[in-house]
Amino acid sequence: MPDMTPIKNPMPLLDMALRQTSFNEVAQGYDEETARREARRCLRCKNKPCVAGCPVQVAIPEFISAIACGNDAEAYDIIRETNALPAICGRVCPQEMQCERRCVRGIKGEPVAIGRLERYAADTAILSDGDAAPDALKQSEAQPRTSSEEPQVASCKAATAHIETGKKTVKAAVIGSGPAGLSGAGTLARLGFDVAIFEALHEPGGVLTYGIPEFRLPKALVKREIDSLRSLGVRIETNTVVGKSITIDDLREDGYAAFLIGTGAGLPSFLRIPGESLNGVYTANEFLTRINLMKAYMFPDADTPIRVGKKTAVFGGGNVAMDAARCALRMGADVSLVYRRGRDEMPARAEEIEHAQEEGVRFELLTNPIEFLADDSGTVRAARCVRMELGTPDASGRRKPRAIEGSEFELACDTAVIAIGNSPNPVFVKSVPELARTAWGGIDADPQTGKTNLPGVYAAGDAVTGAATVILAMGAGRRAAQEIVLEYNNSL
Amino acid sequence: MVANALYKIINKRPLHSTVTWMELSAPRAARRAKPGQFVILRVDSAGERLPLTIAGADPVRGTVTVIYQKVGATTNKLDMLDVGDALADVAGPLGEPSKLEGIGSAALIAGGLGIAIAYPIAKALKAQGSRVDGIVGFRNTDLIILKNEFESFCDTFDILTDDGSNGRKGFVTDGLSARLESGKTYDEVIAIGPLPMMKAVCALTKKYNIKTTVSMNSIMIDGTGMCGCCRLTVGGETKFACVDGPDFDGHLVDFDEAIRRGRYYREQEQESMARLCRLTGEARACRI
């Protein structure tokens, strides 16, 4: 009989004093007993609505059932069949918008804590498996379980056999080592391709490394996932800006036949208000890159500095805004988060919003900045803001905020962080003018297959969709990799 | 990450007491480098990302050369390495190459270390048959670098020092002004050096309505257009020095903003330097 407790087993959290001062991981993860208890809340519905809500169709009831029965390793293997990075997804997926939103238990009470259980399975496997993990992973994708519902995966199995028995190994170049690239590279390597990932920065991981902070996604975990790709034979060439250091044509000359572009959405959007170039006004990308990639929170032990003032204002309502606000808080600032809509409209994961608020980030909702004001040295001293109200729903269905006349006020801040979104980074695409792009600068690729207008060139993730989520990028990377396998299977 | 054997120091020589010329193994950057582009390097695994203009590239040897002045912790740490040592990272070439096509005659103005950036441009201009009037300025005679190398690519060459200890006494603007007053015209003036120098050159050439290109060396992190740290205002628009530049139309650049943004981490730079001095006990480096 399922456990009919109406609420999720709570996630144990780091001590609040540490949360406010250190970059240690906040969510501590379920222990074994809690995980078993939570797993028993699953009703094992026949029609599996949760699976339909998952961008990579993880066999959710099956893996939860394995946990309930005490088979954690099996649970992990089940997840790995369709999800290359479960330890990461368990932490950063917006489950409340995806699998958990469809969970039948959510109708009367809270859904099953699917994300927390996914993380539990992954963390347990990592702890217990050690070096054996990569070999087990090699098997999982080559011999998929869910053949009945996923003809593409079944075809991949045939492709594997072909490529592995043939003499010729296809060389595939993956451009960008973020979620789309890592997931695509893993799929290609497991299916017998000779894979190299080209990364512009000095560390691989893309947004997992430069964007998402340590307290939400420990970098050791990212490193571990990347090492497991290396053990599959994937080469990672850092410091290589494709389009600058090397071109697609160079790579073709070097024998690369297939290309998977996962260059992400790394071009920061600006508010386009006066004062945005004042000192102390950061884009979230700069703020988070200094902290996460360059470890500026350890300055001067790390060489890269950051200046976080006494009062920091973060503008935006997504995960990036929450990350920036919580970083600033840990560096000793009094933090306001300014968002033009209401709390219910915030696009961030529910858990991040809760954590930010618990830690002491003050929310200035229905508020919009109109100008940054400077002190004598040209550093920001305040943001002039206006209060907003929600009007009629716009095309996206969200109620459009509009300014309330006469409501202007000054919000004092000596550091401001703009976290209102990113669009695809143009550096790579500019180097390939013949690659078709969308009107807004994304790569024009088939949303199902990732196929672009150029032969052998596929694209996936935020570079195609614009800024979205880790799991969507991973799903797209994997699908594109499977298409590459099909293409080269047919043409060999 | 440990120092990467890929990025070995092949050659190194001091140009004077605080400026060093260094040849680095970086095959990819060497193969694609064009005048005006830069590399970003990290000295070690805790290092910051330091952009340095590529002074020269040898695709056959797989090397790029950079010239740096020991001003802060990172450049001092870099200078402590010797031939055979390796850097943690070298990425590049980054930025847009200088656009030199169609320039029949140019005044190439370099101030101080800016000559290191101007040098490959002089070479490229000469190679395409442009007429080049070189005007270079230094604070004093002890700081002069690359004089002969630069001069060899110029049709005329003027050197000025702030104190008159070499060449004429004065600033590069005095040298340029003298030429413009005598009726000389140029297709383009290219000015490379400290921000106040480039600002002054632009103020002068604006009066004569001569197209003027400047090279902006803003503070950068990724150098690929991601962080926006290096942003500057050009003709009222936000541009990124790393991907839109580093060359810009000097008459449109908001220099005062660039000067202000360049100073934002001064205290932290001093703190880093003081820490390095404590760690190495090197009194010489502590002149801040």
Side-chain angles (χ1 to χ4, degrees):
Chain A
M1 270 300 288
D3 175 343
M4 293 310 290
T5 312
I7 58 164
K8 291 178 182 177
N9 284 278
M11 173 63 98
L13 301 175
L14 188 69
D15 176 70
M16 184 55 78
L18 275 175
R19 276 170 67 180
Q20 290 166 333
T21 53
S22 81
F23 279 73
N24 297 345
E25 187 171 22
V26 169
Q28 300 282 289
Y30 281 161
D31 61 18
E32 187 180 333
E33 195 199 324
T34 314
R36 306 257 182 274
R37 212 164 47 228
E38 184 64 30
R40 286 196 293 270
R41 293 185 64 230
C42 176
L43 301 177
R44 295 178 214 174
C45 314
K46 272 226 165 81
N47 59 346
K48 306 174 189 176
C50 51
V51 179
C54 173
V56 296
Q57 286 88 47
V58 167
I60 293 166
E62 287 82 353
F63 97 74
I64 291 181
S65 173
I67 294 176
C69 300
N71 300 326
D72 296 338
E74 187 194 341
Y76 180 68
D77 288 344
I78 294 170
I79 302 169
R80 286 293 301 226
E81 280 163 17
T82 62
N83 183 342
L85 313 165
I88 293 173
C89 290
R91 285 169 169 81
V92 304
C93 265
Q95 289 95 3
E96 73 272 16
M97 309 289 292
Q98 300 174 345
C99 52
E100 294 183 17
R101 185 186 207 165
R102 315 273 186 105
C103 177
V104 172
R105 291 297 306 264
I107 299 167
K108 280 188 184 173
E110 290 182 356
V112 177
I114 300 168
R116 293 171 186 177
L117 290 172
E118 179 183 36
R119 170 185 166 168
Y120 168 80
D123 288 2
T124 311
I126 286 169
L127 282 178
S128 65
D129 239 19
D131 293 339
D135 282 328
L137 304 184
K138 268 183 205 165
Q139 298 304 315
S140 61
E141 192 137 12
Q143 296 171 358
R145 287 160 54 104
T146 51
S147 54
S148 61
E149 283 176 19
E150 287 201 59
Q152 279 182 1
V153 178
S155 314
C156 288
K157 192 173 172 182
T160 311
H162 191 105
I163 288 169
E164 284 177 352
T165 52
K167 281 179 189 137
K168 195 170 154 193
T169 304
V170 178
K171 280 176 84 174
V174 175
I175 299 159
S177 66
L182 291 178
S183 134
T187 299
L188 288 167
R190 284 185 203 101
L191 297 178
F193 278 59
D194 178 10
V195 184
I197 304 181
F198 298 91
E199 165 58 45
L201 294 174
H202 57 269
E203 290 278 357
V207 74
L208 305 173
T209 297
Y210 74 74
I212 304 178
E214 178 76 18
F215 56 79
R216 192 149 83 81
L217 180 65
K219 299 307 146 208
L221 206 72
V222 178
K223 192 172 175 302
R224 198 180 168 97
E225 299 289 13
I226 289 164
D227 286 346
S228 93
L229 278 186
R230 285 200 174 101
S231 71
L232 289 175
V234 174
R235 296 185 307 287
I236 301 180
E237 299 202 24
T238 52
N239 296 319
T240 308
V241 188
V242 179
K244 291 281 186 188
S245 315
I246 193 165
T247 64
I248 288 270
D249 288 341
D250 293 336
L251 290 169
R252 283 195 201 276
E253 262 175 47
D254 287 349
Y256 289 92
F259 299 87
L260 175 53
I261 306 162
T263 46
L267 181 70
S269 303
F270 286 93
L271 290 159
R272 296 175 176 277
I273 61 174
E276 218 162 6
S277 285
L278 289 176
N279 289 351
V281 179
Y282 289 92
T283 68
N285 281 2
E286 180 186 352
F287 194 75
L288 291 172
T289 299
R290 281 180 183 269
I291 292 172
N292 300 324
L293 176 70
M294 306 310 297
K295 309 283 178 230
Y297 62 93
M298 298 200 277
F299 178 86
D301 290 336
D303 289 344
T304 306
I306 189 162
R307 288 182 63 175
V308 180
K310 289 196 173 63
K311 286 180 186 293
T312 297
V314 177
F315 300 87
N319 288 320
V320 174
M322 299 301 150
D323 287 345
R326 296 173 70 198
C327 282
L329 190 105
R330 280 160 173 76
M331 297 192 67
D334 175 40
V335 184
S336 302
L337 186 130
V338 181
Y339 181 54
R340 63 193 183 129
R341 293 181 159 101
R343 185 178 158 144
D344 292 346
E345 286 79 26
M346 282 186 167
R349 289 177 84 215
E351 193 174 282
E352 309 314 325
I353 298 171
E354 277 161 31
H355 286 175
Q357 213 157 25
E358 284 166 14
E359 289 165 8
V361 172
R362 201 173 38 254
F363 286 8
E364 292 281 357
L365 300 172
L366 289 164
T367 304
N368 208 28
I370 48 178
E371 182 180 10
F372 291 111
L373 305 169
D375 67 9
D376 297 341
S377 71
T379 301
V380 64
R381 65 164 178 83
R384 208 146 59 83
C385 296
V386 62
R387 299 291 185 192
M388 310 293 280
E389 60 188 358
L390 291 180
T392 48
D394 63 11
S396 72
R398 288 200 299 177
R399 293 176 65 195
K400 208 175 158 62
R402 58 178 182 230
I404 300 173
E405 226 172 285
S407 66
E408 288 177 18
F409 70 103
E410 281 185 19
L411 178 72
C413 59
D414 44 11
T415 302
V417 184
I418 302 162
I420 57 164
N422 282 286
S423 51
N425 188 320
V427 169
F428 168 74
V429 287
K430 270 166 87 177
S431 76
V432 195
E434 63 274 25
L435 180 66
R437 292 159 73 176
T438 62
W440 45 271
I443 296 171
D444 191 359
D446 184 305
Q448 285 312 308
T449 64
K451 215 169 170 30
T452 70
N453 64 316
L454 301 180
V457 179
Y458 291 73
D462 286 5
V464 175
T465 58
T469 61
V470 169
I471 185 71
L472 285 171
M474 282 180 30
R478 178 166 171 272
R479 284 196 307 277
Q482 290 170 340
E483 286 296 321
I484 290 174
V485 173
L486 287 178
E487 176 178 328
Y488 286 87
N489 180 30
N490 292 337
S491 63
L492 274 175
Chain B
M1 205 184 300
V2 289
N4 197 323
L6 267 178
Y7 310 120
K8 263 196 179 160
I9 298 171
I10 305 297
N11 263 312
K12 178 189 173 188
R13 68 166 193 266
L15 297 181
H16 68 63
S17 61
T18 63
V19 174
T20 305
W21 175 97
M22 187 180 268
E23 182 180 15
L24 295 167
S25 174
R28 288 229 164 99
R31 188 162 160 222
R32 293 255 155 216
K34 294 202 176 69
Q37 290 188 296
F38 60 94
V39 289
I40 283 192
L41 56 82
R42 287 201 324 147
V43 176
D44 56 39
S45 61
E48 64 181 340
R49 293 172 65 90
L50 173 72
L52 287 176
T53 301
I54 299 168
D58 186 334
V60 179
R61 286 164 64 87
T63 61
V64 294
T65 51
V66 292
I67 294 169
Y68 57 88
Q69 184 164 24
K70 290 185 279 171
V71 283
T74 297
T75 41
N76 273 287
K77 271 197 336 192
L78 176 60
D79 208 58
M80 287 171 197
L81 300 181
D82 284 315
V83 171
D85 291 339
L87 308 189
D89 302 283
V90 180
L94 298 168
E96 289 293 313
S98 297
K99 291 185 182 66
L100 304 175
E101 314 86 61
I103 299 178
S105 66
L108 185 52
I109 322 277
L113 194 66
I115 196 169
I117 305 171
Y119 167 67
I121 291 170
K123 192 174 171 179
L125 283 171
K126 190 72 189 169
Q128 71 179 22
S130 310
R131 190 193 144 78
V132 181
D133 284 353
I135 303 172
V136 301
F138 294 92
R139 280 213 308 279
N140 62 57
T141 188
D142 296 337
L143 300 177
I144 293 172
I145 55 170
L146 298 175
K147 176 176 177 278
N148 295 336
E149 293 88 339
F150 187 84
E151 189 174 358
S152 69
F153 298 120
C154 297
D155 293 278
T156 71
F157 179 77
D158 277 347
I159 189 159
L160 299 99
T161 47
D162 295 6
D163 63 357
S165 55
N166 197 312
R168 276 203 290 147
K169 181 172 165 31
F171 300 118
V172 286
T173 38
D174 299 325
L176 178 62
S177 183
R179 284 171 183 273
L180 295 174
E181 272 169 30
S182 72
K184 195 102 179 86
T185 61
Y186 300 101
D187 294 335
E188 191 165 326
V189 170
I190 301 171
I192 303 168
L195 292 168
M197 180 218 101
M198 293 194 286
K199 183 184 173 185
V201 169
C202 290
L204 175 64
T205 56
K206 182 120 194 178
K207 283 191 260 176
Y208 291 87
N209 201 23
I210 301 173
K211 183 184 174 188
T212 302
T213 298
V214 295
S215 176
M216 302 300 287
N217 59 340
S218 316
I219 300 172
M220 293 180 187
I221 305 287
D222 65 291
T224 63
M226 188 182 82
C227 80
C229 175
C230 66
R231 67 187 182 274
L232 57 157
T233 305
V234 182
E237 280 180 49
T238 297
K239 297 282 182 191
F240 290 177
C242 66
V243 289
D244 300 318
D247 292 356
F248 292 97
D249 180 340
H251 293 155
L252 299 178
V253 169
D254 182 339
F255 281 104
D256 293 338
E257 178 188 284
I259 289 168
R260 168 170 54 66
R261 287 184 67 82
R263 286 186 188 139
Y264 189 54
Y265 291 100
R266 188 161 284 183
E267 264 177 48
Q268 285 71 23
E269 285 156 10
Q270 287 172 356
E271 189 182 342
S272 274
M273 196 61 217
R275 180 178 177 277
L276 182 68
C277 294
R278 280 198 307 278
L279 291 178
T280 61
E282 192 166 347
R284 184 167 57 91
C286 299
R287 210 169 34 84
I288 46 173

